Amino acid sequence: MRFNKSEELFKESQKYIPGGVNSPVRAFKAVGSNPVFMQRGEGSKLFDVDGNEFIDYIGSWGPHIFGHNPPFIKEALLKAVENGTSFGAPTELEVQIAKLITQMVPSVEMVRMVNSGTEATMSAVRAARGFTGRDKFIKFEGCYHGHADYFLIKAGSGALTFGMPTSPGVTKGNAADTLLADYNDIDSVKKIVAENKNEIAAIIVEPVAGNMGVVPASKEFLTGLRDICSEEKIVLIFDEVMTGFRVAKGGAQELYGIKPDLSTFGKIIGGGLPVGAFGGRKDIMEIISPSGPVYQAGTLSGNPLAMAAGYAGLQYINNNPGIYKLLEEKSAYLEGGIRSALHEAKKNYAFNRVGSMMTLFFVEEEVNNYKAAVKSDTIAFGKYFNGMLNKGIYLAPAQFEAIFVSTAHSDDDILKTINAASEILKKTE
Ligand code: HOZ
């Protein structure tokens, strides 16, 4: 494959944009190559500026559960744009989407729209702090909740990929209120809670971690968190920015049967447009301005274009519950094929999957937390990634990320992916 035009654009972009990209992971730094500049997405495919075609497993990092540019979302957007792009005033659509979310995710009694997952998580923590009158919160090593200062402490995703899980620019004061526990280790949480009695506002967790690669929480762990939060009057926040409407209609909380106090969403909720949301118990949500004193605002929040795309997507999911069975079948087919390819290549790498989110870890031991994930051979992963890219398979360009299957991936797409993996894994030392 040739990437001449992408190479040229990357040279040019580095003059004007830090690192040449508007978000770090997409720079391909972690896999020792340069980013591919994309031009168009359709169904399961992405097409780049050099005319190359890829089977895409990033799906804009999760939102494209139906593949790129599904007709019903495109139609909804085109219709909405006829009426204008932004009002900074309430619309009927905001009421409809809020109502639909509360129906699809029963723990969400009230919801506030924002513009990204980062805004959702930072607002949820602020709400929890305002509600409890406490400052500290617990997060887990390797979990990523966006880039607000106090989350960038032992964070996942790009922060972990680029070896800066704790970011410069975060003040000691900010860091002091972030308490770190080990994912899937309830004793580490109990210890911190005992040492900080009546000082912890919230525990925030990805119920299926997606930002140290895919690492599911055990049911016992999440149940343990629920019990501790109820006993200690701590607000339990599920960060479902990746898992919401992706692993089940009601998100990971439906899969596990556990009700958080607050949840955060992003990705699918905007149908591919920049949207996030946080919601949950009415008594907590009513602390948010203007019904309560905790300030939270945004001119573009509930933007009519974003709401139109998001509502079309959520309605489709709500009316077609069969899509999760379809996603499971496609994803299981891909998992089975990759596992066979690993077996043929005599590699015993860990493969974690929850529904249509998955990660192949280049480490021959079970990955159930951050410490295990970071043992992965990222050099070998880089070789695998570049080998797959050259065969037209577009994976997440970092070990500590998820790949996503959409309803648009055909059996033929998946078979091509398995065949490519089988060839590349045999060559990857
Ligand atoms: N936060 C995304 C990965 N979990 C990366 C988004 C991007 O770089 O575009």
Side-chain angles (χ1 to χ4, degrees):
M1 255 182 202
R2 289 170 162 258
F3 297 105
N4 300 354
K5 198 149 183 221
S6 274
E7 298 289 348
E8 269 170 42
L9 281 171
F10 190 46
K11 260 192 212 135
E12 188 75 353
S13 71
Q14 287 173 90
K15 294 183 202 158
Y16 309 109
I17 306 173
V21 287
N22 279 315
S23 189
V25 187
R26 61 180 83 157
F28 283 30
K29 247 182 154 174
V31 288
S33 49
N34 289 335
V36 181
F37 283 65
M38 295 300 176
Q39 200 166 57
R40 190 168 70 83
E42 196 67 50
S44 62
K45 307 286 181 350
L46 271 177
F47 302 85
D48 74 3
V49 287
D50 286 283
N52 299 310
E53 177 180 321
F54 301 92
I55 301 168
D56 176 29
Y57 287 98
I58 300 186
S60 189
W61 301 92
H64 294 324
I65 194 165
F66 317 107
H68 291 272
N69 224 0
F72 56 93
I73 291 187
K74 193 169 155 183
E75 268 163 38
L77 260 174
L78 289 173
K79 209 167 139 206
V81 87
E82 289 293 330
N83 292 328
T85 55
S86 175
F87 311 134
T91 61
E92 188 177 356
L93 204 47
E94 288 170 81
V95 188
Q96 289 169 328
I97 195 166
K99 190 171 167 192
L100 184 57
I101 291 168
T102 61
Q103 286 162 356
M104 293 171 82
V105 190
S107 75
V108 175
E109 294 167 350
M110 287 188 123
V111 61
R112 168 65 61 90
M113 286 291 163
V114 292
N115 301 291
S116 67
T118 293
E119 275 189 49
T121 49
M122 70 184 208
S123 306
V125 168
R126 189 182 305 138
R129 284 172 162 163
F131 184 74
T132 57
R134 302 169 179 175
D135 291 342
K136 296 179 182 175
F137 75 96
I138 295 180
K139 80 172 279 288
F140 295 91
E141 270 194 22
C143 282
Y144 177 74
H145 305 290
H147 57 89
D149 286 355
Y150 43 84
F151 290 131
L152 288 180
I153 302 176
K154 291 270 172 97
S157 190
L160 169 56
T161 299
F162 297 123
M164 287 175 291
T166 304
S167 173
V170 174
T171 64
K172 286 196 190 78
N174 248 318
D177 287 332
T178 305
L179 306 171
L180 274 179
D182 293 323
Y183 198 73
N184 273 329
D185 178 356
I186 200 68
D187 290 338
S188 73
V189 181
K190 284 184 182 158
K191 186 167 175 281
I192 293 171
V193 171
E195 288 166 358
N196 296 272
K197 196 88 184 144
N198 298 326
E199 287 184 274
I200 300 173
I203 296 179
I204 185 165
V205 65
E206 293 179 78
V208 174
N211 289 290
M212 50 177 142
V214 171
V215 179
S218 70
K219 170 110 185 192
E220 298 67 48
F221 175 63
L222 292 181
T223 307
L225 292 184
R226 180 62 278 173
D227 292 346
I228 291 171
C229 286
S230 301
E231 279 157 27
E232 301 289 331
K233 300 199 175 358
I234 294 170
V235 176
L236 179 61
I237 306 172
F238 274 11
D239 180 344
E240 297 236 36
V241 168
M242 281 170 126
T243 50
F245 311 99
R246 159 67 66 182
V247 295
K249 180 167 134 179
Q253 53 197 272
E254 179 186 313
L255 275 190
Y256 285 92
I258 294 172
K259 243 180 163 183
D261 300 308
L262 293 180
S263 302
T264 60
F265 303 100
K267 317 274 184 193
I268 290 173
I269 219 171
L273 273 80
V275 178
F278 66 104
R281 271 170 47 190
K282 192 166 188 258
D283 57 335
I284 303 179
M285 288 304 289
E286 278 185 332
I287 198 99
I288 298 292
S289 189
S291 57
V294 172
Y295 201 69
Q296 193 286 322
T299 299
L300 290 169
S301 298
N303 171 269
L305 300 188
M307 292 301 98
Y311 191 53
L314 291 186
Q315 265 187 318
Y316 191 94
I317 292 173
N318 202 33
N319 298 334
N320 296 277
I323 67 157
Y324 292 102
K325 188 166 169 278
L326 187 65
L327 285 169
E328 175 59 29
E329 283 163 9
K330 289 176 187 290
S331 306
Y333 176 31
L334 181 59
E335 175 180 0
I338 300 285
R339 284 192 185 280
S340 305
L342 286 170
H343 186 71
E344 276 170 38
K346 301 192 176 40
K347 293 191 166 87
N348 200 17
Y349 293 154
F351 189 97
N352 286 354
R353 176 173 78 84
V354 177
S356 54
M357 296 171 58
M358 62 199 83
T359 299
L360 169 61
F361 290 95
F362 280 64
V363 61
E364 296 203 343
E365 65 178 73
E366 193 193 345
V367 176
N368 62 1
N369 62 18
Y370 172 85
K371 287 183 182 73
V374 294
K375 286 186 194 158
S376 301
D377 181 346
T378 52
I379 305 289
F381 173 82
K383 288 182 188 160
Y384 171 69
F385 169 84
N386 285 301
M388 293 295 274
L389 185 74
N390 276 290
K391 289 194 168 293
I393 316 292
Y394 191 67
L395 303 173
Q399 171 71 95
F400 308 114
E401 298 289 350
I403 66 162
F404 302 92
V405 170
S406 73
T407 55
H409 284 97
S410 65
D411 283 359
D412 186 50
D413 289 333
I414 295 174
L415 184 61
K416 277 189 187 138
T417 309
I418 294 168
N419 289 340
S422 167
E423 205 179 304
I424 304 297
L425 283 167
K426 281 183 199 138
K427 294 187 207 149
T428 314
E429 285 310 318

